[in-house]
Amino acid sequence: MTVLSKEPLRVLMICPQFFPIVGGYEIAAARLSASLARTGISVVVLTEMRDRTWPRCETREGYEIRRWSCIYRRHLHTVTSTLSFIKFLVFHGARFDVWHVHQYGMHCALAILFGRLLRRPVVMKLTSSTSMGIERALQGARFSTVLMHLHRRVSMCLAVTNETLNEAISFGIPESRTLVIPNGLEPYEFLPSDNGSRAKAKSFLGFNFERMVLSVGRLSQEKNPLGLVRAWSRVIANCQASVGLAVVGDGPQLHIVRRLVHELGLEKTIVFAGWQTVLTNWYRAADVFVVASHLEGLSNTMIEALASGVPVVSTCVSGSSKLLGVKPGGIVINVGDEVSMSEAILKLIHDEDLRSRLAANARRLFEREFSMDRIVEQVLDVYAGLTNPIRLSNEVGE
């Protein structure tokens, strides 16, 4: 790993949405910020203050959160947020060595622009691809030509998957300024269970089935909860074991999903757990984990399942290719293929040897690809390269 200077590196994490707002990219940004802070890096997360009851400044897990003012109302939000963001960068941005942006769009473009003016390198993280990828998102935005031009001039683009990396290069970011660094987890956050602890976790949760199939995520269209329920009806029709589906999460499709569950007569086999802030026991109790999404960046929940030693059934979305290989950690199916989804779940439920083998592979896959120690080392190497005076001088002068 590249050796940094003795002075603590000062990193500005720019996340327009952040705690107490919780989502995939917010969770990933929080985990990275906390892990960097534990290495002695000075980390400040800059985000919007959408609610006046939120504190303007607070400290969490060793890093600081600072919120810029905005009026979170229609027609006022964009203007007020943009002006406050620019004000912060102009008056305080130079205090930081690296600006790390976790969401592309207007704020990212402004960070790149002012980063060049203030001679500060800007790292952009890309989490989504296909219909939610950078090019399609920016094409539909106001001032799209200017936004796209600025995004192509970012100092470094970190993509969470190979699919996202290829889209970044096709978009026009030079390959030399792109790198794949996935989301990560601390190795101790989620740990594998043995049969005894798995049974105890089921009992603790009040889950009255021998086998648990687990799904964690927002109940929204792109996550495909309706497809999961339809596949589950096939599982129940063909399953010889005592098995239940635990759905952890909330979202706009909750009532539609519940209605479908009722229509298919599945109420006794599905547990809706709602939004959970602590997921450890759910993964500890699970025998199989399912990602049913139509669209996905790199699923944080898939990484959590792998860390917990739970074999994964996933649709072929961005990042799921990591499950395959000489020692696979799960089964990948085509997007929207509910028959294959049900068959993969049934295979894992009925074949204990396969389930155990994939479970062991899952944890090894996590340790090799997604352990936060590895992720932090890669990110620090990026920061060190960008804060090199020669590299920075050449980059700004382009």
Side-chain angles (χ1 to χ4, degrees):
M1 185 179 75
T2 304
V3 179
L4 299 169
S5 70
K6 294 182 180 180
E7 290 294 322
L9 194 72
R10 295 159 297 180
V11 178
L12 181 65
M13 295 287 185
I14 299 172
C15 305
Q17 294 178 185
F18 198 69
F19 179 83
I21 299 171
V22 179
Y25 104 79
E26 294 91 348
I27 292 172
R31 284 172 171 162
L32 178 61
S33 298
S35 296
L36 287 171
R38 280 191 282 272
T39 71
I41 304 297
S42 174
V43 180
V44 172
V45 177
L46 183 63
T47 187
E48 289 184 336
M49 187 169 165
R50 294 189 174 183
D51 189 321
R52 294 185 181 278
T53 64
W54 298 350
R56 185 168 295 278
C57 297
E58 64 177 304
T59 300
R60 287 173 55 86
E61 297 188 80
Y63 63 90
E64 185 181 351
I65 303 174
R66 296 186 191 177
R67 297 183 173 90
W68 74 74
S69 299
C70 69
I71 300 175
Y72 194 55
R73 295 178 186 173
R74 189 178 180 183
H75 304 307
L76 293 175
H77 175 218
T78 301
V79 174
T80 57
S81 176
T82 300
L83 291 175
S84 294
F85 179 62
I86 291 173
K87 180 181 177 181
F88 184 95
L89 294 183
V90 170
F91 287 99
H92 306 288
R95 299 177 185 175
F96 301 90
D97 301 299
V98 179
W99 301 353
H100 191 149
V101 189
H102 288 260
Q103 191 179 57
Y104 49 77
M106 179 61 75
H107 293 102
C108 183
L110 290 169
I112 295 168
L113 174 62
F114 283 93
R116 298 183 77 85
L117 293 173
L118 296 173
R119 300 178 63 83
R120 289 296 177 266
V122 178
V123 177
M124 174 177 65
K125 181 177 180 181
L126 293 186
T127 59
S128 300
S129 57
T130 61
S131 64
M132 296 191 297
I134 183 171
E135 184 159 11
R136 293 180 68 172
L138 295 181
Q139 281 178 341
R142 289 185 178 182
F143 315 111
S144 60
T145 302
V146 175
L147 291 179
M148 294 170 77
H149 173 75
L150 286 170
H151 280 72
R152 293 185 182 112
R153 295 173 71 82
V154 72
S155 306
M156 179 62 71
C157 172
L158 304 184
V160 295
T161 66
N162 288 325
E163 295 89 342
T164 312
L165 176 79
N166 291 333
E167 286 195 12
I169 295 171
S170 297
F171 170 72
I173 299 173
E175 187 174 357
S176 61
R177 295 185 185 177
T178 62
L179 186 65
V180 174
I181 300 183
N183 298 332
L185 281 177
E186 293 289 354
Y188 55 80
E189 286 190 65
F190 296 91
L191 296 170
S193 301
D194 56 26
N195 289 335
S197 58
R198 190 174 296 111
K200 289 180 181 178
K202 287 185 176 75
S203 177
F204 176 81
L205 294 170
F207 191 83
N208 300 315
F209 297 92
E210 184 180 351
R211 301 290 177 211
M212 175 192 284
V213 176
L214 177 64
S215 173
V216 179
R218 180 173 165 79
L219 299 180
S220 54
Q221 185 175 0
E222 70 277 5
K223 302 293 186 180
N224 191 29
L226 296 174
L228 173 61
V229 170
R230 287 190 291 265
W232 184 248
S233 68
R234 292 176 177 271
V235 171
I236 293 301
N238 295 280
C239 191
Q240 301 168 6
S242 169
V243 61
L245 172 64
V247 177
V248 178
D250 201 348
Q253 287 201 326
L254 175 60
H255 296 300
I256 302 173
V257 173
R258 283 187 174 276
R259 188 187 314 136
L260 180 60
V261 169
H262 175 73
E263 291 171 356
L264 296 176
L266 299 172
E267 295 100 323
K268 293 182 179 181
T269 66
I270 299 180
V271 174
F272 287 95
W275 179 257
Q276 300 285 320
T277 55
V278 179
L279 294 169
T280 310
N281 281 318
W282 292 97
Y283 288 110
R284 191 173 290 149
D287 298 280
V288 179
F289 186 80
V290 181
V291 178
S293 302
H294 289 313
L295 295 169
E296 193 74 63
L298 175 60
S299 171
N300 288 320
T301 60
M302 183 189 79
I303 298 172
E304 291 165 358
L306 294 174
S308 303
V310 182
V312 177
V313 174
S314 175
T315 51
C316 189
V317 290
S318 184
S320 64
S321 59
K322 291 288 187 181
L323 294 170
L324 305 175
V326 178
K327 293 185 176 181
I331 300 171
V332 178
I333 59 172
N334 290 329
V335 171
D337 190 343
E338 296 166 10
V339 174
S340 294
M341 189 187 303
S342 64
E343 291 174 347
I345 293 171
L346 283 165
K347 188 174 185 179
L348 287 174
I349 290 171
H350 290 145
D351 191 335
E352 186 172 356
D353 288 341
L354 175 62
R355 192 171 65 248
S356 298
R357 189 163 63 252
L358 293 186
N361 291 345
R363 178 65 189 190
R364 284 194 287 266
L365 174 60
F366 161 76
E367 292 173 349
R368 186 176 71 247
E369 299 286 345
F370 305 112
S371 175
M372 189 60 85
D373 293 340
R374 168 184 164 87
I375 305 305
V376 165
E377 184 172 334
Q378 291 176 295
V379 171
L380 289 178
D381 278 343
V382 170
Y383 291 166
L386 291 175
T387 54
N388 180 297
I390 297 175
R391 165 69 182 271
L392 182 58
S393 176
N394 291 337
E395 190 273 326
V396 172
E398 290 180 2

